[in-house]
Structure formats: structure tokens, C-alpha cells
Amino acid sequence: MKFLAISGSLRAASHNSALLRAMARLAPAGVSVTLYRGLGDLPLFNPDIEASDPAAVADLRTQIVAADALLIASPEYAHGITGVMKNALDWMVGCEAFVLKPVALLNASPRAVHAHASLTEIVTMMSARIVDAASVTVPILGSHLGEDEIVRHPDISAVLQSALHALRAAVLATRLERQ
Ligand SMILES: Cc1cc2nc3c(=O)[nH]c(=O)nc-3n(C[C@H](O)[C@H](O)[C@H](O)COP(=O)(O)O)c2cc1C
């Protein structure tokens, strides 16, 4: 089973990216988590160039379509999701890559309620299936926990493993529905 993880931060020291990398290491047997690295290469969304299918957009779409489920984590900027995350999502509206895709929305900051609500609204509008049991908030921001510390933290790693199991179960349930 393949999960694609998308961080809404371009920062090298991003807490959201560290959280997703930690989740890749905590994934249950049989589940691989790949971190999408092309967010900063996407052109700014413009409906006029949609038909030309820019290579970076095609690559994101291919990776999403090939994934059984998505893990999405975005920082909160000015009470919204980051511009780069919204840009990526806007590119995926027309191609319907999100339709019925099981999605876990991870929140690295209990303060970031607006970004989390906004992400929930956008991804729901795109007809993805948000898996509530896999969508968890963990206090990474301000904790000085890096990827290694998240993996080693007994409470946080348990929450993240439980989220990954819930996402895996949702994928299996979706497969059964389609049979
Ligand atoms: C331009 C900007 C706006 C921000 N706005 C908010 C905000 O509205 N609410 C909040 O809780 N944090 C806000 N923050 C703090 C970020 O969410 C925080 O820096 C977070 O660590 C960024 O995620 P990252 O570590 O994955 O890059 C803002 C940061 C920046 C740079």
C-alpha cells in the first residue's frame, strides 16, 4: 500500500515536513510513505495554462493517482493554509485526482485551527474522503522535536501510528467497496 505525503511548507527545517518524514518511519508493515518534494516547482495556477499540462503538475497528478491514500500537513499562515499548498490543490481540482481518495489531515500545531478548518473544507469540496480517525493534531510546533525525536516520543509516535493504521483500514474498506 502506498501513501503520498504532502507538506505545505517549503522550509528546510519545517515541522510539518519533519512530522511527515517521521510518519514514513512509523508506517506499519506493508505501507510505504513517500514525501512529495515538488511543491516549490509547481507553476502558479492559471486556468489559461491548464490545458498545456505543465510537467510538474503532471508529475504531482501521477503521484496522487498512484497513491492509495494521502497524508497532508500544512502550516497556518495568516489564518489560512500556505499559498504553496493552496496552489497545489488548485491544480488538482480540474483533474479530479482527489475524488474518493482517502486523506489524513495532520496538524502539527493545536493553535492552527483556521488552517486545519480551511484544509478540511477545500479537500472535502474536492470530493476526497477525509479519514477522521487518521486526522490528528500533535503538538510539534514549539516543542523542538525533530524527525528523530518524534519517532522516539512514546505518546506522539503512538498517536501517529494509530493514525496510519486508521488510514490503512480506510484504504482496505474502500477496496472492499469497489469489489
Ligand atoms: C507568514 C506567516 C504567517 C503565520 N501565521 C500564523 C497564524 O496565523 N497562526 C499560527 O498559528 N501560526 C502562524 N504562523 C506560524 C507558522 O505556522 C509556524 O512558523 C510553523 O512552524 C510553520 O510551519 P513549518 O515549520 O512546517 O514551516 C505564521 C508564520 C508565517 C511565516
Side-chain angles (χ1 to χ4, degrees), residues 7-18 73-80 82 108-115 141-142:
S7 167
S9 177
L10 298 181
R11 284 195 326 123
S14 161
H15 295 94
N16 285 275
S17 303
S74 177
E76 179 164 294
Y77 282 180
H79 286 189
T82 60
S109 165
R111 269 192 333 178
V113 292
H114 303 285
L141 217 75

Side-chain angles (χ1 to χ4, degrees), residues 64 86 88-101 119-129:
I64 291 175
K86 184 66 166 69
L89 294 172
D90 285 345
W91 274 114
M92 293 299 115
V93 171
C95 67
E96 302 192 342
F98 270 62
V99 174
L100 298 181
K101 188 74 72 180
L119 203 45
T120 302
E121 179 66 23
I122 295 164
V123 169
T124 301
M125 186 273 157
M126 292 169 75
S127 303
R129 284 189 177 177

